[in-house]
Amino acid sequence: MDNKKVTKTIRVEEEQLACAMGSGSLFVLATPAVVALMECAAAELAQNILDSDELTTVGTQISIEHTSPTPLGAEVTAEAVLRESDGRFFYFDVTAYDNKGEIAKGTHTRVSVKAVKFQQKADGKFDEV
């Protein structure tokens, strides 16, 4: 296992198309689906680095440029490379490719949190006082 890079691969399904996700009207891989695949790779890489089962990471920032369309049925691979970590923060370069080349690139930041405490905070967010 590489502790500086993780890749994730999918085959584009109908539910990942822009017209299905509401991010456009075309039958091409939706930008939100590309983002999700990139985040998935980065989250796995960060989890591999964390030294505690009590910790997980949450995404706090992502910025990508989606430069090439990918049709239904094509295979897409996202790669997350750890650029830097600083305390609880993990900074990634993310890239996605289909079999014709690069389709998207950008950066992503994740921060480590105590899983149970974070979930409890979220679950109680709208509790009445």
Side-chain angles (χ1 to χ4, degrees):
M1 170 177 47
D2 188 340
N3 67 350
K4 296 283 186 182
K5 178 173 74 171
V6 164
T7 60
K8 291 289 194 181
T9 301
I10 61 166
R11 184 162 306 280
V12 179
E13 304 286 340
E14 286 187 21
E15 62 269 13
Q16 296 159 323
L17 298 177
C19 58
M21 295 190 82
S23 66
S25 59
L26 298 175
F27 293 83
V28 296
L29 180 63
T31 301
V34 174
V35 168
L37 187 60
M38 291 171 153
E39 271 205 276
C40 182
E44 181 177 313
L45 179 51
Q47 196 64 43
N48 291 343
I49 294 167
L50 291 174
D51 58 1
S52 170
D53 291 338
E54 295 176 6
L55 298 176
T56 190
T57 61
V58 293
T60 59
Q61 182 276 335
I62 190 158
S63 176
I64 74 156
E65 183 179 11
H66 190 179
T67 57
S68 182
T70 303
L72 179 66
E75 194 170 89
V76 174
T77 298
E79 175 182 270
V81 176
L82 181 64
R83 181 173 20 95
E84 178 185 355
S85 62
D86 180 14
R88 296 174 50 216
F89 292 85
F90 297 86
Y91 303 94
F92 300 92
D93 291 321
V94 289
T95 312
Y97 304 88
D98 61 23
N99 64 358
K100 294 292 186 177
E102 183 179 285
I103 65 165
K105 65 181 176 182
T107 59
H108 179 45
T109 303
R110 301 188 71 77
V111 64
S112 67
V113 297
K114 293 180 180 176
V116 171
K117 185 176 178 182
F118 190 89
Q119 188 64 58
Q120 288 171 340
K121 181 180 177 182
D123 292 346
K125 188 171 186 175
F126 298 107
D127 288 349
E128 291 190 35
V129 179

